[in-house]
Amino acid sequence: MTGQLPSMLETLTAAEHDPDRLVLLTGGTVVTMDPALGTLERADVLLRGDRIAEVGPGLSVADAIVVDVSGSIVAPGFVDTHRHAWQAQMRHPRRTRVDEPALR
């Protein structure tokens, strides 16, 4: 994968302003907010321009730029997940595992 990274970045960057650009993220663990879908262990996410077009296992699109994201978590629709993940822990800073009597 490392040898393919520069060419993949060049391909994605060259097409970044195309509103119809198709990018297919394949093989990742997809965390959705859709109760009907839930978390999909090995699934794909199709992007058209800057929008999510489809989510599901085994998607296939002939003209898409395919990015293998196996071993990664894909969270379509989440914005800035790295920041919000730690902020959730700060909502109740006094409620930690060490506050529980059984862990003292």
Side-chain angles (χ1 to χ4, degrees), residues 29-97:
T29 298
V30 180
V31 179
T32 76
M33 295 304 292
D34 183 341
L37 292 176
T39 298
L40 306 170
E41 293 300 322
R42 265 188 79 72
D44 309 327
V45 176
L46 177 63
L47 307 171
R48 179 182 301 276
D50 63 355
R51 304 282 184 211
I52 300 164
E54 192 172 353
V55 176
L59 300 181
S60 178
V61 180
D63 297 336
I65 299 168
V66 178
V67 181
D68 181 1
V69 294
S70 297
S72 299
I73 295 173
V74 181
F78 283 85
V79 177
D80 202 2
T81 57
H82 67 281
R83 181 171 319 174
H84 294 297
W86 75 262
Q87 285 176 340
Q89 298 171 11
M90 299 305 291
R91 288 188 188 132
H92 302 288
R94 296 177 199 264
R95 295 167 70 190
T96 63
R97 299 286 298 166

Side-chain angles (χ1 to χ4, degrees), residues 2-40:
T2 305
Q4 296 174 346
L5 189 57
S7 64
M8 179 61 66
L9 289 175
E10 290 169 5
T11 301
L12 290 169
T13 302
E16 72 181 320
H17 297 294
D18 178 0
D20 293 320
R21 171 185 69 168
L22 295 172
V23 177
L24 182 62
L25 307 176
T26 62
T29 298
V30 180
V31 179
T32 76
M33 295 304 292
D34 183 341
L37 292 176
T39 298
L40 306 170

